[in-house]
Amino acid sequence: MKNKGIVIFLIVLAVVIVAVMLIDWSSKRPDRMEANKFEYSVDEFRHVDEELIHYKETRNFKPGFEKPAGITIEKDTIYLVGDKKLIVIDPAGQLLMETAFEEEPTTVEVSGNRIYVAFRKGVQVLNNSGVKVLGWNLQNENAYITSVAVNDENIFVADAGTRRIYRFNTSGELMNEFEGKANIDDSHGFIIPSPYFDMDITGYGDLWVVNPGIHTLEQYTAEGNLREHWQASGARTEGFSGCCNPAHFCSLPDGSFVTSEKGLVRIKVYKPSGEFSGVVAPPDKFENKIEGEAPDVSVDSEGNIYALDFDRKVLRVFEKK
């Protein structure tokens, strides 16, 4: 009798366990789950008042890339990299030149009659016919080049893998490097949680670098000395939120900044002082509004903003209203 009682108890216990599992599974179906009261939502920040949107989309092109990577504009000629090639087009979208590579490029920059194409661990310098005239690699297995900026004497290379800016001369010789520390005792320099590490030289010759982990733009001398900076944190329209924002930026002819964000995708303009100016494209303009890629951005001589939309694989043009 004692053994029979144990068997009955075990059967009843098994039935209870199965019933609890079924109830738990049923309650976790997507249509029956209780809302997560602790979940962070950015839905309220997706809407932007129309009065803050100062630009309108006027046209777009399909460059033909399966994996677009970067854009720059020089003298109103548009340079685009993606897949394993560089293409050059005019403002009407007509193809002017195409050059193939053996590996996928990450970004492109143009200065004078030279085209600078970066790859994950190296840089190639092309003439205006697309012929390679110089090239070198970073000597670090963790290298991940995300941006190149050039002036008359210097070639700056941003490496997200080592969280450093390298300065080369026009012959490709390393001159110096810096990691974004104002003082040797600083606890941190550039904070790069993921491969988004952009920089640009403005029309006034100033080198600006994004420190994306702290939502800051910082200006440096060629030797790596911090001159000034501005910060804009927050999910609201005037700030940068999430990890690694702004992901991309460029400068307008008047010295203002055009910024592009990933996650909550949006393109905005900030005054040279860092004060929020207005919106180019709100989240509703993008296909993936919550977890989207930040478009790479560049501007022409008239201040029109070109956005290389990685999610839609389209080059979009925004003009001021």
Side-chain angles (χ1 to χ4, degrees):
M1 292 295 294
K2 183 177 180 181
N3 290 339
K4 184 176 180 180
I6 293 174
V7 170
I8 294 174
F9 170 77
L10 292 175
I11 292 174
V12 172
L13 180 62
V15 171
V16 170
I17 291 173
V18 170
V20 169
M21 291 175 64
L22 288 172
I23 293 171
D24 182 64
W25 173 83
S26 178
S27 67
K28 290 184 177 179
R29 284 173 48 188
D31 59 342
R32 294 189 180 183
M33 287 181 66
E34 181 182 355
N36 181 0
K37 65 180 72 178
F38 302 107
E39 181 181 7
Y40 176 72
S41 174
V42 296
D43 286 349
E44 65 177 294
F45 306 116
R46 289 168 56 180
H47 174 73
V48 176
D49 291 339
E50 189 64 31
E51 63 184 20
L52 294 178
I53 303 173
H54 298 167
Y55 288 75
K56 61 181 178 180
E57 186 172 1
T58 56
R59 62 190 188 280
N60 56 65
F61 311 101
K62 289 187 176 181
F65 292 129
E66 284 299 315
K67 189 177 179 181
I71 178 177
T72 192
I73 299 175
E74 176 70 11
K75 296 180 180 178
D76 293 339
T77 298
I78 304 162
Y79 299 78
L80 299 154
V81 290
D83 300 340
K84 292 184 178 181
K85 61 184 178 181
L86 159 76
I87 66 170
V88 183
I89 62 176
D90 66 17
Q94 296 298 311
L95 181 66
L96 302 177
M97 188 181 75
E98 182 173 328
T99 298
F101 306 108
E102 294 183 355
E103 57 182 313
E104 294 180 353
T106 58
T107 187
V108 60
E109 185 57 81
V110 176
S111 179
N113 60 355
R114 291 291 184 262
I115 305 168
Y116 301 82
V117 179
F119 304 85
R120 184 161 183 167
K121 294 186 178 182
V123 177
Q124 289 188 21
V125 184
L126 315 178
N127 63 20
N128 53 18
S129 297
V131 177
K132 179 182 174 181
V133 296
L134 183 66
W136 67 90
N137 290 327
L138 298 185
Q139 302 305 310
N140 191 302
E141 62 178 11
N142 296 319
Y144 198 118
I145 299 172
T146 53
S147 183
V148 175
V150 183
N151 61 18
D152 293 338
E153 301 176 352
N154 304 300
I155 304 168
F156 298 94
V157 176
D159 178 9
T162 62
R163 301 180 295 279
R164 291 173 180 267
I165 302 291
Y166 296 93
R167 179 170 70 106
F168 298 88
N169 64 18
T170 54
S171 298
E173 299 172 335
L174 180 64
M175 304 302 291
N176 65 282
E177 60 187 74
F178 55 96
E179 54 185 346
K181 291 186 177 182
N183 300 291
I184 194 170
D185 295 328
D186 284 355
S187 60
H188 68 80
F190 298 125
I191 299 178
I192 319 292
S194 60
Y196 295 92
F197 188 24
D198 205 3
M199 62 181 172
D200 190 34
I201 295 177
T202 70
Y204 301 101
D206 299 323
L207 174 66
W208 284 87
V209 181
V210 173
N211 197 339
I214 53 174
H215 307 139
T216 302
L217 271 81
E218 303 172 344
Q219 186 195 141
Y220 289 89
T221 66
E223 293 73 28
N225 298 315
L226 180 66
R227 296 183 62 185
E228 62 176 302
H229 72 279
W230 59 268
Q231 184 180 49
S233 291
R236 298 190 180 280
T237 302
E238 63 272 16
F240 304 121
S241 65
C243 162
C244 315
N245 275 317
H248 301 286
F249 83 102
C250 63
S251 57
L252 285 163
D254 68 354
S256 295
F257 301 92
V258 179
T259 65
S260 171
E261 295 165 74
K262 68 184 185 71
L264 185 64
V265 184
R266 51 195 179 185
I267 302 173
K268 299 176 294 189
V269 174
Y270 290 81
K271 296 178 182 179
S273 62
E275 181 184 354
F276 171 71
S277 178
V279 173
V280 177
D284 287 340
K285 280 285 185 179
F286 297 97
E287 192 170 276
N288 193 338
K289 306 176 182 66
I290 300 299
E291 295 297 333
E293 282 283 335
D296 197 4
V297 288
S298 190
V299 302
D300 64 20
S301 61
E302 297 181 357
N304 300 316
I305 297 171
Y306 289 68
L308 183 56
D309 189 326
F310 297 135
D311 291 323
R312 291 175 52 187
K313 303 175 185 178
V314 170
L315 176 59
R316 306 168 67 178
V317 185
F318 296 86
E319 299 181 18
K320 206 158 189 179
K321 291 182 179 179

